[in-house]
Amino acid sequence: MKYRVVIAYDGTAYSGWQYQENAVGIQQVVEDVLASLEGAPVRVFGSSRTDAGVHAKGFVGHFRLTKPIPPKNLVRAMNARLPDAIRILKSAYASDSFDARLSAKGKEYRYQLYQADIMPPHLAPYWTFCHRPLDLEAMRKAASYFVGRHDFVSFAANPDRVLESTVRNVFSFDVKKAGPRYTFIVRGDGFLYKQVRSMVGFLISVGKGNEPPEAVKELLDAAAPRTARVETAPARGLFLWKVMY
């Protein structure tokens, strides 16, 4: 049977989703649990890659099992064996044509920033701290320039692999504020390596007054490789919020 699962995880102690030779990724932990249920190796295919320290609320994966386990029982069995930082939220049978990555129509990421004089310790793993005041309207204006189909090479890091294209389509980009909490919400058809963190990092520079909002358009139009002018926001504030199918 082919299964589709929604996974939430705290990425603080992990090297990201992807299996790696010299570090522990979420994929490896999930596959080890499934192997213990199946009695044989199981490969899990994920909806995307996430960087070390990045979290997920709605990561999607698919895999096959030869032992028939009802989806609800599979959720209970996996969660009983997974560490507290990883949870299976939902499970369902999947069609043969479903692919967690290739079937995705878009993704939503959220970045959390806490702006105040002091950062509450319990928020530290999931919120990036900024003590300087931020100009919300300037950040919202700058975010609007990201919306649309653009070459995002200026806002991405080198993934050390060949890419067919650095052009992506951003559906929407909002910046919301509730007291000291800023949430950057971006939706698109896909994102380059560290693209979301680079875009947010630049918006924070705009919010601090270091860059004008129009600088986003300038960098997009230049379509030149990223420079030190574009800072990468820390991983801990980023969540893969939702995958759309």
Side-chain angles (χ1 to χ4, degrees):
M1 298 296 298
K2 190 174 187 177
Y3 294 84
R4 164 180 173 173
V5 292
V6 178
I7 309 171
Y9 54 82
D10 177 341
T12 304
Y14 295 94
S15 62
W17 163 260
Q18 202 77 0
Y19 178 86
Q20 296 185 33
E21 290 287 338
N22 302 314
V24 179
I26 305 292
Q27 181 182 19
Q28 177 184 339
V29 178
V30 175
E31 287 182 352
D32 287 348
V33 165
L34 286 170
S36 71
L37 296 173
E38 175 78 346
V42 177
R43 179 72 188 277
V44 180
F45 298 88
S47 52
S48 57
R49 300 165 181 255
T50 55
D51 302 337
V54 172
H55 316 293
K57 182 178 178 288
F59 191 95
V60 178
H62 80 262
F63 52 85
R64 292 183 182 273
L65 298 177
T66 60
K67 293 182 177 179
I69 304 176
K72 286 186 178 180
N73 293 354
L74 181 63
V75 170
R76 288 195 292 267
M78 292 183 70
N79 285 337
R81 293 164 173 79
L82 285 166
D84 291 341
I86 306 171
R87 279 292 171 266
I88 307 302
L89 301 183
K90 297 178 183 178
S91 174
Y93 294 120
S95 65
D96 281 339
S97 62
F98 176 76
D99 185 287
R101 183 176 65 87
L102 299 178
S103 300
K105 301 299 183 185
K107 298 182 179 74
E108 177 182 317
Y109 280 89
R110 296 193 180 191
Y111 194 92
Q112 302 185 153
L113 179 75
Y114 194 90
Q115 188 278 311
D117 290 334
I118 300 170
M119 174 71 155
H122 67 284
L123 298 181
Y126 314 109
W127 292 76
T128 290
F129 177 62
C130 176
H131 67 86
R132 286 179 57 180
L134 297 171
D135 185 332
L136 177 61
E137 292 310 315
M139 291 192 295
R140 283 175 170 165
K141 183 176 181 181
S144 71
Y145 290 113
F146 284 120
V147 177
R149 189 172 180 82
H150 306 286
D151 187 335
F152 284 94
V153 67
S154 301
F155 292 92
N158 183 357
D160 293 325
R161 55 191 172 89
V162 178
L163 294 175
E164 290 184 9
S165 173
T166 51
V167 174
R168 296 292 185 272
N169 188 17
V170 170
F171 306 146
S172 62
F173 203 155
D174 300 319
V175 186
K176 297 186 176 181
K177 183 179 185 296
R181 305 183 187 208
Y182 290 79
T183 305
F184 301 78
I185 306 170
V186 59
R187 288 186 169 198
D189 59 2
F191 298 94
L192 301 168
Y193 181 49
K194 295 188 177 179
Q195 179 185 335
V196 176
R197 289 166 59 194
S198 297
M199 292 190 297
V200 170
F202 198 78
L203 291 184
I204 294 170
S205 292
V206 171
K208 291 176 179 177
N210 298 335
E211 294 277 0
E214 294 75 18
V216 170
K217 187 176 186 303
E218 172 197 330
L219 289 168
L220 289 173
D221 290 344
R226 193 184 73 163
T227 66
R229 186 179 175 189
V230 178
E231 297 183 15
T232 303
R236 64 179 173 272
L238 183 61
F239 285 75
L240 172 58
W241 203 258
K242 184 190 303 182
V243 183
M244 296 163 274
Y245 293 96

